[in-house]
C-alpha cells in the first residue's frame, strides 16, 4: 500500500521537477522585440569585430551612369553596395540562447551606431576618400546573426580614358572597393552569388552599358600589411548620333572646302579671301570641339591627328593660293624659264588634265603641194616625232607660247587634284579606322 502511494503521488512530482518545460511560444509584439533588443545589445561592444576573421560578402547594385567625363577622366555612378556578414553575438534562433522564446521575431533593425560594421572605402574615389558610412541606413539582422547592410550613394571615381577612337570610343572604368584599417587576416572581402546587379539600371543618354563585371583584386599592401580588395568593371560605349552629326560630318565637309579654293578663278578677286575664310572657320570650329577632346598623352586621338593634318593643309593652301595669284598677275614681257615650260608640258598638264587643245592634242602638219592642211590627231608616238622635224618644230612653238595665265590655271588644277586626293584618302582612312574600332570594341 505504501509503495502504491509513492508511485501515485510522489513519483509524478519528482518527474515534473526533473523535466523543465519550455515556456510557451509568444506571438510578435513591440514589447517582445524590445526585450530581445535589450538582451542582444546589453553587453554588445560595437568596436569589437564578431570573430578573428570576418568574411564580408559584397555586391554592387548599379542604378545609373550619371556622367563619364573623358576630359577630366572621371565616372559618376549612382548605386548601392550590399554587404552581409555573420555576427554570432546577435543570434536568437535557438531559445536556449535567450531567456525567452523570440523565434517569432524574424529580424531586428539597427544602425551602425549600435552594430559593428566593416570599414570599407572606395579606393579610386576623386571627391575624397573616406570610410563608407550612413547612420540613416538601417541594418537588417536575421535570427542566425546574419547582418545585411545597403549603403547607397553617388560614387565619383577616376577612369583612365582611352581616346584613340574618340568620338566613337569605348571606355572601361573600375569601381575599386577595399578594406580599411582591418588587414586581410581580419576582414576578407568576397563576392555574393550575384556580384553586380543591373536589374534596376536606367539607361544613360550618351553612353550604352556594354557589360558589368567583377573580379577580386590582388591584396593591397600598405605599410607592409595586406588589405582585401575587390573591383567592379563597367564597360561603356558612346552613342553615335550626336557626335556623328555635330562633329565628324562638319569636320569632313569643311575639309573638302579647302580644295575648292583652287577652283575659284583669279579674276573673281575672292581667292585669297575664300582661302582665309575657310582657314579661320576651320580654326574656330577646331577651337569649339577641342573642349570635348581630352587633353591626355596616354593614347593618341586619331581625330586630333586628322584635325592637325587638315589644318596644316589649310595653311599651305593659303600660301599656294598666293603663289598662283602671283603667277597669274605676271606680264608676258617676263619670260618663263625653259625648264618650267618643259616640266609643265611633260608632267603637270597630264596630271591636271588641262582641257586646252594643245595640251591633249597635237597639230600635225601635212604639206600637199602648195596647200597647207592642219588636222587634229591623237598623241603621236616618239618614233614619229623623231622622223618628222615639222612636228618637233610645232611642239617647240607651242611650248614657247605657254603664258603665265595658262601656267597659273594649270597649277590651280594640279593643286586641286592633290588636295582632293589627300583629303579624301585621309577622311576615308579616319572613318574606316574608328568604325572598325567601334564595332570590334564589344567583341
Amino acid at each position: 500500500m505504501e509503495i502504491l502511494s509513492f508511485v501515485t503521488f510522489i513519483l509524478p512530482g519528482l518527474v515534473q521537477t526533473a523535466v523543465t518545460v519550455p515556456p510557451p511560444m509568444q506571438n510578435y509584439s513591440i514589447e517582445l522585440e524590445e526585450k530581445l533588443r535589450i538582451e542582444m545589445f546589453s553587453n554588445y561592444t560595437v568596436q569589437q569585430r564578431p570573430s578573428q576573421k570576418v568574411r564580408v560578402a559584397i555586391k554592387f547594385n548599379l542604378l545609373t551612369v550619371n556622367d563619364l567625363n573623358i576630359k577630366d577622366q572621371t565616372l559618376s555612378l549612382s548605386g548601392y553596395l550590399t554587404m552581409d556578414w555573420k555576427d554570432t553575438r546577435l543570434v536568437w534562433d535557438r531559445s536556449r540562447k535567450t531567456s525567452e522564446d523570440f523565434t517569432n521575431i524574424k529580424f531586428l533593425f539597427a544602425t551602425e551606431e549600435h552594430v559593428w560594421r566593416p570599414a570599407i572605402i572606395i579606393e579610386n574615389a576623386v571627391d575624397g576618400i573616406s570610410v563608407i558610412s550612413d547612420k540613416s541606413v538601417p541594418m537588417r539582422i536575421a535570427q542566425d546573426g546574419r547582418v545585411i547592410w545597403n549603403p547607397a550613394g553617388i560614387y565619383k571615381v577616376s577612369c583612365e580614358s582611352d581616346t584613340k577612337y574618340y568620338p566613337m570610343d569605348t571606355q572601361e572604368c573600375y569601381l575599386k572597393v577595399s578594406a580599411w584599417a582591418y588587414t586581410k587576416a581580419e576582414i576578407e572581402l568576397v563576392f555574393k552569388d550575384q556580384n553586380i546587379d543591373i536589374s534596376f539600371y536606367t539607361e544613360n543618354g550618351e553612353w550604352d552599358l556594354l557589360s558589368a563585371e567583377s573580379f577580386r583584386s590582388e591584396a593591397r599592401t600598405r605599410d607592409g600589411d595586406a588589405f582585401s580588395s575587390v573591383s567592379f568593371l563597367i564597360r561603356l560605349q558612346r552613342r553615335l548620333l550626336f557626335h556623328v552629326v555635330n562633329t565628324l560630318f562638319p569636320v569632313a565637309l569643311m575639309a573638302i572646302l579647302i580644295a575648292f579654293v583652287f577652283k575659284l578663278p583669279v579674276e573673281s578677286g575672292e581667292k585669297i579671301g575664300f582661302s582665309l575664310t575657310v582657314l579661320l572657320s576651320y580654326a574656330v570650329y577646331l577651337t569649339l570641339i577641342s573642349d570635348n577632346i581630352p587633353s591626355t598623352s596616354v593614347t593618341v586621338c586619331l581625330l586630333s591627328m586628322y584635325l592637325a593634318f587638315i589644318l596644316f593643309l589649310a595653311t599651305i593652301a593659303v600660301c599656294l593660293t598666293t603663289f598662283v595669284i602671283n603667277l597669274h598677275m605676271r606680264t608676258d614681257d617676263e619670260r618663263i624659264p625653259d625648264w618650267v615650260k618643259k616640266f609643265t608640258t611633260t608632267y603637270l598638264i597630264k596630271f591636271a588634265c588641262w582641257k586646252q587643245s594643245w595640251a591633249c592634242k597635237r597639230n600635225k602638219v601635212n604639206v600637199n603641194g602648195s596647200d597647207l592642211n592642219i588636222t587634229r590627231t591623237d598623241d603621236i608616238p616618239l618614233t614619229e616625232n623623231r622622223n618628222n622635224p615639222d612636228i618637233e618644230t610645232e611642239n617647240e612653238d607651242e611650248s614657247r607660247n605657254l603664258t603665265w595665265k595658262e601656267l597659273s590655271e594649270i597649277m590651280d588644277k594640279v593643286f586641286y587634284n592633290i588636295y582632293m586626293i589627300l583629303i579624301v584618302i585621309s577622311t576615308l582612312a579616319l572613318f574606316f579606322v574608328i568604325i572598325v574600332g567601334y564595332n570590334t570594341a564589344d567583341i
Side-chain angles (χ1 to χ4, degrees), residues 153-173:
I154 297 177
Y155 305 103
K156 190 174 183 180
V157 297
S158 62
C159 177
E160 185 176 338
S161 303
D162 183 4
T163 61
K164 182 177 182 179
Y165 300 111
Y166 175 87
M168 301 173 66
D169 52 336
T170 301
Q171 303 297 337
E172 295 184 352
C173 301

Side-chain angles (χ1 to χ4, degrees), residues 13 23 49 52 58 60 110 142 148 156 160 254 256 297 301-302 351 370 373 379-380 394 417 427 431:
R49 65 184 186 276
Q52 182 178 2
I58 191 168
F60 180 62
I148 303 174
K156 190 174 183 180
E160 185 176 338
M254 291 184 66
I256 294 177
S297 299
C301 180
L302 297 178
F351 185 77
S370 60
N373 298 325
D379 292 342
I380 299 174
E394 185 70 20
N417 292 342
T427 302
F431 275 79

